[in-house]
Amino acid sequence: MKLSQFKFNLPESLVAHNPADKRDESRLMVLHRDSGKIEHKIFKDVLDYFDDQDVMILNNTKVFPARMYGNKEKTGATIEVFLLRELNKELRLWDVLVDPARKIRVGNKLYFGDDDLLIAEVVDNTTSRGRTIRFLFDGTDEEFRRNVEILGETPLPKYIKRKATAEDKERYQTIFAKNEGAVAAPTAGLHFSRELMKRLELKGVEFAEVTLHVGLGTFRQVEVEDLTKHKMDSEQFIIEQKQADIVNRGIERKKRICAVGTTSMRTIESAVSANKTLKAANDWTSKFIFPPYDFSIANSMITNFHTPESTLLMMICAFGGYEHVMNAYEVAVKEKYRFYSYGDAMLII
């Protein structure tokens, strides 16, 4: 398939800049992938589509406050530093993006916070905007992380043209977030409230947790018409044996196995055994899923509405069927569903 086949007209007004009032009260479109039938619901209605021993696979990664603002030594110029990932805990080496990049050279020092709570030195160039920096900090790891927490902002996607608020700190995080390491939220999971999860549990639905630390590659644009030539960024994922067992029991019982979000789907599709079951893993994946693709584990999925020509939309088309999904997106635009990270949800069954 070609990149241009995933174009559609998305009015700017439908891109959500704020979360819904309540997590589980955003809208939900239900798409039946056998017939293409569409239903319009509220998110908490997912309850009606799941039963005893069905399995929902959740990504329990936790977003850290990755966006920091520092001042360059001598000039005092403000520099945005976006923490991508920790390369070495002992040496406090981090892979980061800097903006404006042209001002930042190897050897420069950056000062963060009114009283220089943290100081970092640029030690290497990685890409045009990428740098490796070392934080010059003598305290414990706990103290270091507390300072990052104080100085860092919730890393809202760039298209949200406003400053991150205290509300974002809570809402741009799933209620089941545990393992810190993501710079973007696994957004399908944002719709789950504690009450809804309790009600699903009472119905007998089982939850299996996996971890995929979402990187900025999630937002990277595809720039090649021939999709086979697009390279995905690598992201770390972890599946524990106990969680794989929950999923495999569901497969054995021929139950509904639901991947909550594209990140959960990428994770499980990166750890399929020879006999089409899920295996435990601690690895990195750069898997790119686009049509046609044969899925091995999940037979249903929950996802948000994605932007035109995104790798996320391509995965959804591979799962729900290209024609059905593109038609559903046309309906979503007409019905004014909200798109992207803080937007509405879709259940594909």
Side-chain angles (χ1 to χ4, degrees):
M1 295 200 83
K2 301 277 184 270
L3 174 66
S4 49
Q5 288 173 270
F6 297 91
K7 264 197 178 109
F8 66 92
N9 182 33
L10 176 61
E12 180 56 38
S13 60
L14 297 186
V15 174
H17 290 261
N18 293 284
D21 291 342
K22 290 194 173 148
R23 284 182 186 267
D24 57 15
E25 288 185 2
S26 50
R27 291 165 77 190
L28 175 72
M29 179 188 282
V30 182
L31 172 64
H32 296 258
R33 58 187 187 147
D34 53 353
S35 63
K37 181 183 143 196
I38 289 170
E39 299 174 81
H40 301 288
K41 303 281 184 177
I42 297 294
F43 190 78
K44 54 183 164 193
D45 296 333
V46 293
L47 206 56
D48 302 337
Y49 296 88
F50 291 90
D51 256 316
D52 190 29
Q53 298 182 337
D54 285 343
V55 180
M56 284 187 167
I57 303 168
L58 310 171
N59 182 3
N60 66 13
T61 187
K62 190 173 184 182
V63 180
F64 63 93
R67 188 172 276 127
M68 295 169 67
Y69 294 92
N71 297 99
K72 194 178 160 192
E73 63 177 335
K74 297 192 180 85
T75 67
T78 301
I79 306 293
E80 181 188 309
V81 175
F82 195 101
L83 304 175
L84 289 177
R85 59 172 169 241
E86 190 171 39
L87 300 173
N88 184 308
K89 196 176 255 195
E90 281 67 48
L91 298 175
R92 304 205 197 285
L93 282 180
W94 282 75
D95 200 0
V96 304
L97 294 176
V98 293
D99 197 17
R102 63 182 189 285
K103 293 187 173 175
I104 299 298
R105 297 193 171 85
V106 173
N108 285 161
K109 281 204 175 75
L110 299 168
Y111 296 85
F112 299 91
D114 296 339
D115 44 4
D116 302 339
L117 201 53
L118 286 177
I119 300 169
E121 183 182 9
V122 181
V123 295
D124 200 6
N125 295 324
T126 51
T127 59
S128 58
R129 285 180 57 216
R131 302 288 184 272
T132 302
I133 67 171
R134 180 173 63 233
F135 284 99
L136 311 172
F137 185 78
D138 290 333
T140 63
D141 192 54
E142 216 170 277
E143 289 166 334
F144 171 69
R145 293 196 181 262
R146 200 174 317 134
N147 287 355
V148 170
E149 193 71 37
I150 291 165
L151 296 166
E153 272 185 14
T154 303
L156 292 180
K158 278 284 195 196
Y159 69 84
I160 293 182
K161 306 273 190 281
R162 60 176 177 80
K163 292 287 269 180
T165 63
E167 186 196 24
D168 293 311
K169 204 179 173 93
E170 189 235 332
R171 292 298 302 271
Y172 196 64
Q173 194 82 273
T174 63
I175 59 165
F176 42 80
K178 284 190 187 79
N179 297 329
E180 195 170 79
V183 298
T187 52
L190 297 178
H191 302 285
F192 286 83
S193 63
R194 284 191 169 76
E195 187 197 16
L196 177 60
M197 288 189 76
K198 195 84 218 136
R199 289 173 71 194
L200 284 160
E201 242 168 71
L202 289 170
K203 222 175 163 187
V205 174
E206 295 192 61
F207 296 105
E209 293 188 8
V210 298
T211 305
L212 180 130
H213 292 315
V214 191
L216 269 192
T218 295
F219 304 110
R220 193 184 300 289
Q221 287 181 309
V222 180
E223 286 165 349
V224 284
E225 178 66 2
D226 177 354
L227 298 185
T228 59
K229 296 198 162 48
H230 177 68
K231 295 274 179 286
M232 293 286 277
D233 288 16
S234 246
E235 293 170 319
Q236 187 186 15
F237 74 96
I238 302 153
I239 303 169
E240 288 169 8
Q241 188 59 55
K242 191 175 147 199
Q243 306 301 322
D245 291 343
I246 294 170
V247 174
N248 292 334
R249 268 201 311 274
I251 293 172
E252 210 176 300
R253 293 167 174 157
K254 299 196 168 17
K255 290 292 176 181
R256 189 160 269 174
I257 312 290
C258 180
V260 176
T262 55
T263 60
S264 298
M265 187 67 92
R266 272 185 81 208
T267 305
I268 59 180
E269 284 298 319
S270 300
V272 180
S273 71
N275 59 353
K276 298 281 177 114
T277 56
L278 186 62
K279 55 186 188 189
N282 186 339
D283 208 346
W284 290 76
T285 180
S286 53
K287 195 171 209 30
F288 176 26
I289 298 173
F290 59 94
Y293 182 88
D294 192 13
F295 290 84
S296 300
I297 306 289
N299 50 25
S300 60
M301 89 178 285
I302 291 170
T303 183
N304 277 28
F305 286 94
H306 306 293
T307 50
E309 299 185 315
S310 60
T311 58
L312 309 172
L313 173 60
M314 292 164 194
M315 181 197 287
I316 304 311
C317 285
F319 188 76
Y322 175 78
E323 276 83 16
H324 289 340
V325 170
M326 294 308 276
N327 173 55
Y329 267 58
E330 224 172 276
V331 172
V333 170
K334 212 163 51 218
E335 297 290 331
K336 297 194 165 28
Y337 274 75
R338 297 160 81 241
F339 277 68
Y340 227 16
S341 302
Y342 271 152
D344 294 318
M346 179 191 255
L347 166 64
I348 306 174
I349 50 175

